[in-house]
Amino acid sequence: MSKRPDNAPMVQAKQVHKSFGRLEVLKGIDLSVDAGEVLCLIGPSGSGKSTFLRCINHLEKIDGGELSVDGELVGYRQSGNRLYELRDREVCGKRSEIGMVFQRLNLFPHMSALDNVMSGPVWVKKESSSVARERALRLLDRVGLADKVKSYPNQLSGGQQQRVAIARALSMQPKLMLFDEPTSALDPELVGDVLDVMRALAEDGMTMIVVTHEMGFAREVGDTVVFMDGGVVVESGEPKVVLTAPRHERTRAFLSKVL
Amino acid sequence: MTDPPASPADRVGEHDEDPATPRTVPVRHPGRWVAGGVILVLVAMLVNTLLFSHVERGGVREGRFQWPVVGNYLFDAPVIRGIGVTLELTVIAMVVGIALGVLLAVMRLSPNRLLSGSAWVYIWFFRGTPVLVQLTFWYVGIAYLYPQLTLGVPFGPAFYTVNANVLVTSFVAGALGLSLNEGAYMAEIVRAGIISVDEGQTEAAQSLGMSKIQTLRRIVLPQAMRIIIPPTGNETISMLKTTSLVIVIAGADLWAATQNISAANYQIVPLMVVASLWYLFFTSVLTVGQYYVERYYARGSSRALPPTPLQRLRQELFHIRVQPVPALPEAPWVAPHE
């Protein structure tokens, strides 16, 4: 059961800080994402958008601030005024509720598409393979790859691989999906299929945070667009406002380069 | 010209050449003929000395290599028993060595400095001292340093005490020495395999909620196998021969068996040949095995696997097109079907 009271945000970030050595990558991020909302993170490379995304499922540890998903802190347990880091097993349980899709696809190359999609439910959730298989087949059908079930990643195009990766993330029935530049590594003609799958997912009401350079997708599918630069949120708001009439000079300069 | 244009092969040697399409003349390699001739002479000399030449020893003229003696002892009972010991030592040393190697490799890659440091020291020590010295140490040194071996609470009471000479027999010392030494080498091989796997694989597995152990076992190690297998095959072949060192600790392996026989009958070289033939036979078997294991773990890495030598032979003999091996059959060893 969700511990989140109704109308409370699915993701809440308060003054999130993160440094790699002496380089401060996130300088206090405040952000909130409601259930069912699609939030698109845009910004120049090195602005900290991917790092922030990876903090949400604790692939990176935050150095300061507070980050919670569905009402629970990510990677920590609060007791009084202290934050205790969670054990690996507890973090795993939390991560399994958050799906993630990577820029570099990261399918498991030694497994077929079907086995990739079944791996999480069978190994992590200990589901029976028949149940997992049925759902995996349904998910692969949903991303348009019903005929590629037995194929191995190197037999699939980049776009097909990324759609398998989306199905793999969905197989855990996540509350939240994180997309880290899901189309940046794809040939231009393959981008559309992946975006179509993501659009359908958004229409089904999935909460999504999408780091992207696809401004068209952000405008059309996003409920909110957040522009990050230099480790801070420069501006955020409705896509048509941020993308067409940005208030900040930095946003304007960035958009003039990518649009 | 109404004829269809001749293929380049036909054109070579034609007299009425079309000046517009000059013919190609391959480069000549006279050096190859010279080298071929030299090698042919050397091979003839080798065959002659192995099979047909004779020598006078103690006033008796006999075949240089004494092949009948080799034949007499090739399947002699002590030799066969020795082969058994050699194979047992090889299997034990490699199985323990690989398990130890995986453990040490994971320790070396651990963020815990104490774990990675102690793995480093282990590898440093066991790679840095001769295996011959290590074998001797386990056989002689242990009983010298610790005549009584005790199982109990550290600095506390003992539950079980045994005489070291009883526990550490020649075979135990051999297996122990070879295994511990092999563990150090396998650790480096496994570590190389693990760090060859893209970090994105670990991240993807973790994002699905897999634990570190699951990620290692299900995702990283199966992919690392492609890097690990070839040098491990090499190590196994090397180990088969390294077992011959146990002769210094009164081992009863193949080499020791043949040496015992030749010490009694003075047929030194024929018994060396007996041992060498057996070692060659088993290393050949291992080489073939390695080829097939490599193919097995190459799945998912190439679109179509080349035919095996057997398939190629069949292809050439019967001119049948062998179906190319489906590049990626079901992989039951990783598939999540449990």
Side-chain angles (χ1 to χ4, degrees), chain A residues 54 107 123 133 150 152 154, chain B residues 201 203 214 329-330 334:
Chain A
R54 292 157 58 82
L107 283 186
W123 291 336
R133 173 187 296 267
K150 291 272 175 207
Y152 279 69
N154 70 354
Chain B
Q201 292 291 311
E203 289 179 0
Q214 278 176 325
E330 286 264 345
V334 287

Side-chain angles (χ1 to χ4, degrees), chain A residues 54 88 92 95 98 102 104 106-111 115 122-124 126 133 150 152 154-155 168 172, chain B residues 198 200-201 203-204 206-212 214 218 222-223 300 303 328-330 334-335 337:
Chain A
R54 292 157 58 82
D88 185 43
C92 286
R95 277 203 194 110
I98 305 169
F102 299 86
R104 289 190 302 147
N106 292 346
L107 283 186
F108 305 135
H110 56 305
M111 298 183 204
D115 288 338
V122 172
W123 291 336
V124 178
K126 313 286 179 204
R133 173 187 296 267
K150 291 272 175 207
Y152 279 69
N154 70 354
Q155 299 167 315
R168 181 176 68 179
M172 297 299 282
Chain B
D198 190 288
Q201 292 291 311
E203 289 179 0
Q206 287 182 342
S207 78
L208 285 171
M210 287 189 208
S211 68
K212 282 180 181 153
Q214 278 176 325
R218 306 288 197 180
Q223 294 181 57
R303 272 157 214 264
L328 307 152
E330 286 264 345
V334 287
H337 291 303

